[in-house]
Coordinates of all heavy atoms in Angstrom, one line a residue:
M1 N 0.9 -1.2 0.1 CA 0.0 0.0 0.0 C 0.9 1.3 0.0 O 1.9 1.3 0.8 CB -0.9 0.0 1.2 CG -1.8 1.1 1.3 SD -3.1 0.9 2.5 CE -2.3 1.6 3.9
R2 N 0.5 2.2 -0.8 CA 1.4 3.5 -1.0 C 0.7 4.6 -0.4 O -0.4 4.9 -0.6 CB 1.6 3.6 -2.5 CG 2.3 4.9 -2.9 CD 3.8 4.8 -2.6 NE 4.3 6.0 -3.0 CZ 5.1 6.8 -2.2 NH1 5.4 6.4 -0.9 NH2 5.7 7.9 -2.6
M3 N 1.4 5.3 0.5 CA 0.8 6.6 1.1 C 0.8 7.7 0.1 O 1.7 7.6 -0.8 CB 1.7 7.0 2.2 CG 1.7 6.0 3.4 SD 2.4 6.6 4.9 CE 4.0 7.2 4.4
N4 N 0.0 8.6 0.2 CA 0.0 9.7 -0.7 C 1.2 10.6 -0.4 O 1.8 10.6 0.6 CB -1.3 10.5 -0.9 CG -1.7 11.2 0.5 OD1 -0.8 11.7 1.1 ND2 -2.9 11.3 0.8
Q5 N 1.5 11.6 -1.3 CA 2.6 12.4 -1.2 C 2.6 13.4 0.0 O 3.5 13.7 0.6 CB 2.8 13.3 -2.5 CG 3.3 12.5 -3.6 CD 3.4 13.3 -4.8 OE1 2.9 14.4 -4.9 NE2 4.2 12.8 -5.7
D6 N 1.3 13.8 0.4 CA 1.2 14.7 1.6 C 1.6 13.9 2.9 O 2.2 14.4 3.7 CB -0.3 15.2 1.7 CG -0.7 16.1 0.7 OD1 0.3 16.8 0.1 OD2 -1.8 16.2 0.4
D7 N 1.2 12.6 2.9 CA 1.6 11.8 4.0 C 3.1 11.7 4.1 O 3.8 11.8 5.2 CB 0.9 10.5 4.0 CG -0.5 10.5 4.3 OD1 -1.0 11.4 4.9 OD2 -1.2 9.5 4.0
D8 N 3.7 11.4 3.0 CA 5.2 11.3 2.9 C 5.9 12.6 3.4 O 6.8 12.6 4.1 CB 5.6 11.0 1.5 CG 5.4 9.6 1.1 OD1 5.2 8.7 1.9 OD2 5.4 9.4 -0.1
A9 N 5.4 13.8 2.9 CA 5.9 15.0 3.4 C 5.8 15.2 4.8 O 6.6 15.7 5.5 CB 5.3 16.1 2.6
N10 N 4.7 14.9 5.4 CA 4.4 15.1 6.8 C 5.4 14.3 7.7 O 5.9 14.6 8.6 CB 3.0 14.8 7.3 CG 2.0 15.9 6.7 OD1 2.5 17.0 6.4 ND2 0.8 15.5 6.5
R11 N 5.5 13.0 7.2 CA 6.5 12.0 7.9 C 7.9 12.6 7.8 O 8.6 12.6 8.8 CB 6.4 10.7 7.3 CG 7.1 9.7 8.1 CD 7.2 8.4 7.4 NE 7.7 8.6 6.1 CZ 7.6 7.7 5.1 NH1 6.9 6.6 5.4 NH2 8.1 8.0 3.9
D12 N 8.3 13.1 6.7 CA 9.7 13.6 6.5 C 9.9 14.8 7.3 O 10.9 14.9 8.0 CB 9.9 13.9 5.0 CG 10.0 12.6 4.2 OD1 10.2 11.5 4.8 OD2 9.9 12.7 3.0
N13 N 8.9 15.7 7.4 CA 8.9 16.9 8.2 C 9.1 16.6 9.7 O 9.8 17.2 10.5 CB 7.8 17.9 8.0 CG 7.9 18.5 6.6 OD1 9.0 18.6 6.1 ND2 6.8 19.1 6.1
A14 N 8.3 15.6 10.2 CA 8.4 15.2 11.6 C 9.7 14.6 11.9 O 10.3 14.9 13.0 CB 7.2 14.2 11.9
A15 N 10.2 13.7 11.0 CA 11.5 13.2 11.3 C 12.6 14.2 11.3 O 13.5 14.2 12.1 CB 11.8 12.1 10.2
G16 N 12.5 15.2 10.4 CA 13.6 16.1 10.3 C 13.6 17.2 11.5 O 14.6 17.8 11.8
S17 N 12.4 17.4 12.1 CA 12.3 18.3 13.2 C 12.6 17.8 14.5 O 12.5 18.4 15.5 CB 10.9 18.9 13.2 OG 9.9 17.8 13.5
G18 N 12.9 16.5 14.6 CA 13.3 15.9 15.9 C 11.9 15.4 16.6 O 12.0 14.9 17.7
V19 N 10.7 15.5 16.1 CA 9.5 15.1 16.6 C 9.3 13.6 16.2 O 9.4 13.3 15.1 CB 8.3 16.0 16.2 CG1 7.1 15.6 16.7 CG2 8.6 17.4 16.6
S20 N 9.0 12.8 17.2 CA 8.7 11.5 16.8 C 7.3 11.1 17.2 O 6.9 11.4 18.2 CB 9.7 10.5 17.5 OG 9.6 10.6 18.9
G21 N 6.6 10.5 16.3 CA 5.2 10.1 16.5 C 5.2 8.6 17.0 O 6.3 8.0 17.2
P22 N 4.0 8.1 17.3 CA 3.8 6.8 17.8 C 4.4 5.7 16.8 O 5.0 4.8 17.3 CB 2.3 6.6 17.9 CG 1.7 7.9 17.4 CD 2.8 8.8 17.0
D23 N 4.4 6.0 15.6 CA 4.9 5.0 14.6 C 6.5 4.9 14.7 O 7.1 3.8 14.8 CB 4.6 5.3 13.1 CG 3.1 5.0 12.9 OD1 2.5 4.3 13.8 OD2 2.6 5.6 11.8
E24 N 7.1 6.0 14.8 CA 8.6 6.1 15.0 C 9.1 5.4 16.3 O 10.0 4.7 16.3 CB 9.2 7.5 14.9 CG 9.0 8.0 13.5 CD 7.7 8.7 13.0 OE1 6.9 8.8 14.0 OE2 7.5 9.1 11.9
D25 N 8.2 5.8 17.3 CA 8.6 5.2 18.6 C 8.5 3.7 18.6 O 9.3 3.0 19.1 CB 7.7 5.7 19.7 CG 8.0 7.2 20.1 OD1 9.2 7.7 19.6 OD2 7.2 7.9 20.6
A26 N 7.4 3.2 18.0 CA 7.3 1.8 17.9 C 8.3 1.1 17.1 O 8.8 0.0 17.5 CB 5.9 1.4 17.3
E27 N 8.7 1.7 16.0 CA 9.7 1.2 15.1 C 11.1 1.2 15.9 O 11.8 0.1 15.9 CB 9.9 2.0 13.9 CG 10.8 1.3 12.9 CD 10.8 2.1 11.6 OE1 9.8 2.7 11.2 OE2 11.9 2.2 11.0
R28 N 11.4 2.2 16.6 CA 12.6 2.3 17.4 C 12.6 1.2 18.5 O 13.6 0.5 18.8 CB 12.8 3.6 18.1 CG 14.0 3.7 18.8 CD 14.1 5.1 19.7 NE 12.9 5.4 20.4 CZ 12.6 4.8 21.6 NH1 13.4 4.0 22.2 NH2 11.5 5.2 22.2
R29 N 11.5 1.0 19.2 CA 11.4 0.0 20.3 C 11.6 -1.4 19.7 O 12.3 -2.3 20.3 CB 10.2 0.1 21.1 CG 10.1 1.2 22.1 CD 8.9 1.1 23.0 NE 7.7 1.0 22.3 CZ 6.9 1.9 21.8 NH1 7.3 3.3 22.1 NH2 5.7 1.7 21.3
A30 N 11.0 -1.6 18.5 CA 11.1 -2.9 17.8 C 12.5 -3.3 17.5 O 13.0 -4.4 17.6 CB 10.1 -3.0 16.7
A31 N 13.1 -2.3 16.9 CA 14.6 -2.4 16.6 C 15.5 -2.7 17.8 O 16.4 -3.5 17.8 CB 15.1 -1.2 15.8
E32 N 15.3 -2.0 18.8 CA 16.0 -2.2 20.0 C 15.8 -3.6 20.6 O 16.8 -4.3 21.1 CB 15.7 -1.1 21.1 CG 16.2 0.2 20.7 CD 15.7 1.4 21.7 OE1 14.9 1.0 22.7 OE2 16.1 2.5 21.6
K33 N 14.5 -4.1 20.6 CA 14.2 -5.4 21.1 C 14.9 -6.5 20.2 O 15.5 -7.5 20.8 CB 12.8 -5.6 21.0 CG 12.2 -7.0 21.3 CD 12.2 -7.2 22.8 CE 11.5 -8.6 23.0 NZ 12.3 -9.6 23.6
Y34 N 15.0 -6.3 18.9 CA 15.5 -7.2 18.0 C 17.0 -7.3 18.3 O 17.6 -8.4 18.4 CB 15.3 -6.6 16.6 CG 16.0 -7.6 15.5 CD1 15.6 -8.8 15.2 CD2 17.1 -7.0 14.9 CE1 16.2 -9.7 14.3 CE2 17.7 -7.8 13.9 CZ 17.2 -9.1 13.6 OH 17.9 -9.8 12.6
I35 N 17.8 -6.2 18.4 CA 19.1 -6.2 18.7 C 19.4 -6.8 20.0 O 20.3 -7.5 20.3 CB 19.7 -4.8 18.5 CG1 19.7 -4.4 17.0 CG2 21.1 -4.7 19.0 CD1 20.0 -3.0 16.8
S36 N 18.6 -6.3 21.1 CA 18.8 -7.1 22.4 C 18.7 -8.5 22.4 O 19.4 -9.2 23.0 CB 17.7 -6.4 23.4 OG 17.8 -6.9 24.6
D37 N 17.7 -9.1 21.6 CA 17.6 -10.5 21.5 C 18.7 -11.1 20.9 O 19.2 -12.3 21.2 CB 16.2 -10.8 20.8 CG 15.0 -10.5 21.6 OD1 15.1 -10.2 22.8 OD2 13.9 -10.5 21.0
L38 N 19.2 -10.4 19.8 CA 20.4 -11.1 19.1 C 21.6 -11.1 20.1 O 22.3 -12.1 20.1 CB 20.8 -10.1 17.9 CG 19.9 -10.1 16.7 CD1 20.4 -9.1 15.7 CD2 20.1 -11.5 16.0
L39 N 21.8 -10.1 20.8 CA 22.9 -10.0 21.8 C 22.6 -11.1 22.8 O 23.6 -11.8 23.2 CB 23.0 -8.7 22.3 CG 23.6 -7.5 21.4 CD1 23.3 -6.2 22.1 CD2 25.0 -7.8 21.1
A40 N 21.6 -11.3 23.4 CA 21.2 -12.2 24.4 C 21.4 -13.6 23.9 O 21.9 -14.5 24.7 CB 19.8 -12.1 24.9
R41 N 21.1 -13.9 22.7 CA 21.3 -15.3 22.1 C 22.7 -15.6 21.7 O 23.1 -16.6 21.3 CB 20.3 -15.5 21.0 CG 18.9 -15.6 21.3 CD 18.0 -16.0 20.2 NE 18.2 -15.3 19.0 CZ 17.4 -14.2 18.6 NH1 16.4 -13.9 19.5 NH2 17.7 -13.6 17.5
G42 N 23.5 -14.5 21.8 CA 25.1 -14.7 21.4 C 25.1 -14.7 19.9 O 26.2 -15.1 19.4
E43 N 24.2 -14.1 19.1 CA 24.2 -14.1 17.7 C 24.8 -12.7 17.1 O 24.9 -12.6 15.9 CB 22.9 -14.4 17.1 CG 22.3 -15.7 17.4 CD 20.9 -15.9 17.0 OE1 20.2 -15.0 16.4 OE2 20.4 -17.0 17.2
A44 N 25.2 -11.8 18.1 CA 25.7 -10.5 17.6 C 26.8 -10.1 18.6 O 26.8 -10.5 19.7 CB 24.5 -9.5 17.6
V45 N 27.6 -9.4 18.1 CA 28.7 -8.6 18.7 C 28.8 -7.3 18.4 O 28.4 -6.9 17.3 CB 30.1 -9.4 18.5 CG1 30.1 -10.8 19.0 CG2 30.6 -9.2 17.1
F46 N 29.3 -6.4 19.3 CA 29.5 -5.0 18.9 C 30.6 -4.8 18.0 O 31.6 -5.6 17.9 CB 29.7 -4.1 20.2 CG 28.4 -3.8 21.0 CD1 28.0 -4.7 22.0 CD2 27.6 -2.8 20.6 CE1 26.9 -4.4 22.6 CE2 26.4 -2.6 21.2 CZ 26.0 -3.4 22.3
E47 N 30.5 -3.8 17.1 CA 31.5 -3.4 16.2 C 32.9 -3.4 16.9 O 33.0 -2.8 18.0 CB 31.2 -2.2 15.5 CG 32.0 -1.8 14.3 CD 31.7 -0.7 13.6 OE1 31.4 0.4 14.3 OE2 31.5 -0.8 12.4
G48 N 34.0 -4.0 16.3 CA 35.3 -4.0 16.9 C 35.5 -5.3 17.7 O 36.7 -5.6 18.0
E49 N 34.5 -6.0 18.2 CA 34.7 -7.3 18.9 C 34.9 -8.4 17.9 O 34.5 -8.3 16.8 CB 33.6 -7.5 19.8 CG 33.3 -6.5 20.9 CD 32.1 -6.9 21.7 OE1 31.4 -7.9 21.5 OE2 31.8 -6.1 22.6
E50 N 35.6 -9.5 18.4 CA 35.9 -10.5 17.5 C 34.6 -11.5 17.4 O 34.0 -11.8 18.4 CB 37.0 -11.5 18.1 CG 37.4 -12.5 17.3 CD 38.2 -12.2 16.1 OE1 38.8 -11.0 16.0 OE2 38.1 -12.8 15.1
P51 N 34.1 -11.7 16.2 CA 33.0 -12.5 16.0 C 33.2 -14.0 16.4 O 34.4 -14.4 16.2 CB 32.7 -12.4 14.4 CG 33.5 -11.3 13.9 CD 34.7 -11.0 14.9
T52 N 32.3 -14.7 16.9 CA 32.4 -16.1 17.3 C 31.8 -16.8 16.2 O 31.2 -16.4 15.2 CB 31.6 -16.3 18.5 OG1 30.2 -16.1 18.4 CG2 32.0 -15.4 19.8
P53 N 31.9 -18.1 16.2 CA 31.3 -19.0 15.1 C 29.8 -18.9 15.0 O 29.2 -19.1 14.0 CB 31.8 -20.4 15.5 CG 32.9 -20.3 16.3 CD 32.8 -18.9 17.1
G54 N 29.2 -18.5 16.2 CA 27.8 -18.3 16.1 C 27.2 -16.9 15.7 O 26.1 -16.6 15.8
T55 N 28.2 -16.0 15.6 CA 27.9 -14.6 15.3 C 27.3 -14.4 13.9 O 27.8 -14.9 13.0 CB 29.0 -13.7 15.4 OG1 29.6 -13.8 16.7 CG2 28.7 -12.2 15.2
T56 N 26.1 -13.7 13.8 CA 25.4 -13.5 12.6 C 25.3 -12.0 12.3 O 25.0 -11.6 11.1 CB 24.0 -14.2 12.5 OG1 23.2 -13.7 13.6 CG2 24.0 -15.7 12.6
H57 N 25.4 -11.2 13.3 CA 25.2 -9.7 13.1 C 26.4 -9.0 13.8 O 26.8 -9.5 14.8 CB 23.9 -9.3 13.7 CG 22.8 -9.8 12.8 ND1 22.2 -11.0 12.9 CD2 21.9 -9.1 12.0 CE1 21.3 -11.2 12.2 NE2 21.1 -10.0 11.4
I58 N 26.6 -7.8 13.3 CA 27.5 -6.9 14.0 C 26.6 -5.6 14.3 O 26.0 -5.1 13.5 CB 28.7 -6.3 13.0 CG1 29.5 -7.6 12.5 CG2 29.6 -5.3 13.7 CD1 30.3 -8.3 13.6
V59 N 26.8 -5.2 15.6 CA 26.0 -4.1 16.2 C 26.8 -2.9 16.2 O 28.0 -3.0 16.7 CB 25.3 -4.5 17.5 CG1 24.6 -3.3 18.2 CG2 24.5 -5.7 17.5
R60 N 26.3 -1.8 15.8 CA 27.0 -0.6 15.7 C 26.2 0.6 16.4 O 25.0 0.5 16.2 CB 27.3 -0.2 14.4 CG 28.0 1.2 14.2 CD 28.4 1.5 12.8 NE 29.1 2.8 12.8 CZ 29.1 3.5 11.8 NH1 28.4 3.3 10.7 NH2 29.7 4.7 11.8
R61 N 26.8 1.4 17.2 CA 26.1 2.5 17.8 C 26.3 3.7 17.0 O 27.4 4.2 16.6 CB 26.7 2.8 19.2 CG 25.8 4.0 20.0 CD 26.2 4.1 21.4 NE 26.0 3.0 22.2 CZ 24.7 2.5 22.7 NH1 23.7 3.3 22.3 NH2 24.7 1.5 23.4
E62 N 25.2 4.3 16.5 CA 25.3 5.4 15.5 C 25.5 6.7 16.3 O 25.5 6.7 17.5 CB 23.9 5.6 14.8 CG 23.6 4.4 13.9 CD 24.6 4.1 12.9 OE1 25.2 5.2 12.3 OE2 24.7 3.0 12.4
D63 N 25.9 7.7 15.6 CA 26.2 9.1 16.3 C 25.1 9.6 17.1 O 25.3 10.3 18.1 CB 26.5 10.1 15.2 CG 27.9 9.8 14.4 OD1 28.7 9.1 15.1 OD2 28.1 10.3 13.4
D64 N 23.8 9.2 16.7 CA 22.7 9.8 17.4 C 22.3 8.9 18.7 O 21.3 9.1 19.3 CB 21.4 10.0 16.7 CG 21.0 8.8 15.9 OD1 21.6 7.7 16.1 OD2 20.1 8.9 15.1
G65 N 23.1 7.7 18.9 CA 22.8 6.8 20.0 C 22.0 5.7 19.6 O 22.0 4.7 20.5
R66 N 21.5 5.6 18.4 CA 20.8 4.4 18.0 C 21.6 3.3 17.8 O 22.8 3.3 17.4 CB 19.9 4.6 16.7 CG 18.8 5.6 16.9 CD 18.1 5.9 15.5 NE 19.1 6.3 14.5 CZ 19.3 5.7 13.4 NH1 18.8 4.6 13.1 NH2 20.3 6.2 12.5
L67 N 21.2 2.0 18.0 CA 22.0 0.8 17.7 C 21.5 0.4 16.3 O 20.2 0.2 16.1 CB 21.8 -0.2 18.8 CG 22.4 0.0 20.1 CD1 22.0 -1.1 21.1 CD2 23.8 0.3 20.1
T68 N 22.3 -0.1 15.5 CA 21.9 -0.7 14.3 C 22.6 -2.1 14.1 O 23.8 -2.2 14.7 CB 22.4 0.2 13.0 OG1 23.8 0.4 13.0 CG2 21.6 1.5 12.9
A69 N 22.0 -3.0 13.4 CA 22.6 -4.4 13.3 C 22.8 -4.5 11.7 O 22.0 -4.3 10.9 CB 21.7 -5.3 13.8
R70 N 24.0 -5.2 11.5 CA 24.3 -5.5 10.1 C 24.6 -6.9 10.0 O 25.3 -7.5 10.8 CB 25.6 -4.7 9.6 CG 26.1 -4.9 8.3 CD 27.2 -4.1 7.8 NE 28.3 -4.5 8.6 CZ 29.3 -5.4 8.5 NH1 29.1 -6.3 7.7 NH2 30.3 -5.5 9.4
R71 N 24.0 -7.6 9.1 CA 24.1 -9.0 9.0 C 25.6 -9.3 8.5 O 25.9 -8.8 7.5 CB 23.1 -9.6 8.0 CG 23.3 -11.2 8.0 CD 22.3 -11.9 7.1 NE 21.0 -11.9 7.8 CZ 20.6 -12.7 8.9 NH1 21.5 -13.6 9.2 NH2 19.4 -12.7 9.3
L72 N 26.2 -10.3 9.2 CA 27.5 -10.7 8.8 C 27.4 -11.9 8.0 O 28.1 -12.1 7.0 CB 28.2 -10.9 10.2 CG 29.7 -11.5 10.1 CD1 30.6 -10.5 9.4 CD2 30.3 -11.9 11.4
R73 N 26.6 -12.8 8.4 CA 26.5 -14.2 7.7 C 25.3 -14.9 8.1 O 24.5 -14.5 9.1 CB 27.6 -15.0 7.9 CG 27.9 -15.4 9.4 CD 29.1 -16.3 9.5 NE 29.5 -16.3 11.0 CZ 30.7 -16.0 11.4 NH1 31.6 -15.6 10.6 NH2 30.9 -16.1 12.7
F74 N 24.9 -15.9 7.4 CA 23.8 -16.8 7.7 C 24.3 -18.1 8.3 O 25.5 -18.5 7.9 CB 23.0 -17.1 6.5 CG 22.2 -16.0 5.9 CD1 22.7 -15.2 4.9 CD2 20.9 -15.8 6.4 CE1 22.0 -14.1 4.4 CE2 20.1 -14.7 5.9 CZ 20.7 -13.9 4.9
L75 N 23.7 -18.6 9.2 CA 24.1 -19.9 9.7 C 23.1 -20.9 9.3 O 21.9 -20.7 9.3 CB 24.2 -19.9 11.3 CG 25.3 -19.0 11.8 CD1 25.3 -19.1 13.4 CD2 26.7 -19.4 11.3
G76 N 23.5 -22.1 9.0 CA 22.5 -23.0 8.5 C 22.6 -24.4 9.0 O 23.1 -24.9 9.9

């Protein structure tokens, strides 16, 4: 489903102004939970740490404090 251009502009303006709505908060919490679960299961390490054989993701702290995960490999 595609939002109309006005909705896109409103979302971009809110993101650029530092105002976060319920959707952005929910997305941020979901991302934090996902990364927390990866770390708890031993499937992720922070950038700069030595990956283990079970590591699938590298976690990086961005300049604004957010954590992001980058897939390193798949385990099968």
Side-chain angles (χ1 to χ4, degrees):
M1 181 167 86
R2 174 78 176 123
M3 296 187 310
N4 68 35
Q5 289 179 340
D6 291 336
D7 289 340
D8 286 342
N10 290 337
R11 185 186 58 195
D12 292 341
N13 288 337
S17 68
V19 175
S20 62
D23 291 340
E24 288 87 7
D25 289 341
E27 187 174 327
R28 180 186 48 80
R29 284 192 308 272
E32 290 173 355
K33 172 83 168 109
Y34 175 70
I35 292 171
S36 174
D37 290 348
L38 285 172
L39 291 166
R41 290 190 306 263
E43 296 175 0
V45 296
F46 281 95
E47 189 174 49
E49 294 179 5
E50 187 67 29
T52 66
T55 300
T56 57
H57 290 76
I58 302 294
V59 176
R60 179 177 181 208
R61 184 170 302 279
E62 299 297 329
D63 293 337
D64 62 1
R66 290 180 302 119
L67 295 177
T68 57
R70 179 179 57 86
R71 182 173 287 281
L72 178 65
R73 62 178 162 236
F74 289 91
L75 294 181

